[in-house]
Structure formats: C-alpha cells, structure tokens
C-alpha cells in the first residue's frame, strides 16, 4: 500500500529525529510548513523548552507563502536567536525536502549569522 505524502514525510521525520537532538549549547532549529504559513522555532530538547519562535503568520503582510516570506522568517528567527545568545544550531527540516521555501529559510538564517 502506497503512503500518502504526509505519511511519507512523517516516516522521514522519524528517521531524521533519531540522529538529531538539541542541546543547551546547540539547540535544534525546527521548520514546519503548511499550505498557508511557515513556522520556525529553536528548541532545547534536553530541557524541553523553546528558546525562540517565528512564523509567517505574524510577519507577512499578505497571506501568501512564498520564498520571500520564508526568508523573512529565517531572518527573524536568526535575530531572536542572537538576542538569546545562541550562535549555532542543528537544522531540523522536519521531513521536508531541502528545496524551495525550506532552503530559503535556512539560507537567510545563515546570512544573518546563525551557524549550522
């Protein structure tokens, strides 16, 4: 039986999460993409707390999800990370393919000085 697109993503996500974990020194940058919005948060898995969060829901003026909107979220999450004293993170693409909006978010976070 063929997996649906979302089931396949969850399968990839479980496989990735076996290897990736956030520590207090190097937390995990998690990305979630819906049809309308894109969300990013920085999570410390050992202490089970969210250090910073950003989304296109609060940043974008128009409610369309584009690469430019993803870039805005990447810049915002990098700025919030630096305000919290974080310089390097582990990138968790959450089972999504590393192209398009996910790549745009990651590249803009790197440009703002976040290391991963």
């Amino acid at each position: 039986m063929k997996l649906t697109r979302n089931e396949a993503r969850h399968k990839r996500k479980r496989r990735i999460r076996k290897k990736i974990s956030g520590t207090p020194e190097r937390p995990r940058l998690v990305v979630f993409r819906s049809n309308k919005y894109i969300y990013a948060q920085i999570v410390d898995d050992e202490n089970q707390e969210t250090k910073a969060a950003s989304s296109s829901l609060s940043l974008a003026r128009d409610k369309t999800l584009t690469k430019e909107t993803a870039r805005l979220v990447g810049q915002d999450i990098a700025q919030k990370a630096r305000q919290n004293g974080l310089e390097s993170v582990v990138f968790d693409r959450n089972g999504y393919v590393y192209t398009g909006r996910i790549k745009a978010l990651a590249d803009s976070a790197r440009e703002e000085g976040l290391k991963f």
Side-chain angles (χ1 to χ4, degrees), residues 30-47:
V30 187
V31 175
F32 176 75
R33 188 189 76 200
S34 71
N35 287 337
K36 238 180 168 178
Y37 305 107
I38 191 161
Y39 306 87
Q41 61 182 356
I42 297 178
V43 179
D44 175 6
D45 291 319
E46 288 181 6
N47 297 326

Side-chain angles (χ1 to χ4, degrees), residues 59-74:
L59 291 176
R61 290 176 200 90
D62 56 342
K63 300 299 180 192
T64 57
L65 181 56
T66 61
K67 286 184 186 180
E68 186 56 40
T69 309
R71 283 188 193 97
L72 290 175
V73 174

Side-chain angles (χ1 to χ4, degrees), residues 8-49:
R9 184 185 73 82
H10 281 287
K11 193 174 178 180
R12 285 190 304 270
K13 177 182 175 176
R14 284 191 303 269
R15 190 169 55 235
I16 292 166
R17 283 286 287 131
K18 285 181 198 175
K19 303 169 192 168
I20 293 177
S21 162
T23 63
E25 301 82 33
R26 198 161 177 218
R28 183 169 52 101
L29 172 59
V30 187
V31 175
F32 176 75
R33 188 189 76 200
S34 71
N35 287 337
K36 238 180 168 178
Y37 305 107
I38 191 161
Y39 306 87
Q41 61 182 356
I42 297 178
V43 179
D44 175 6
D45 291 319
E46 288 181 6
N47 297 326
Q48 296 180 348
E49 62 184 6

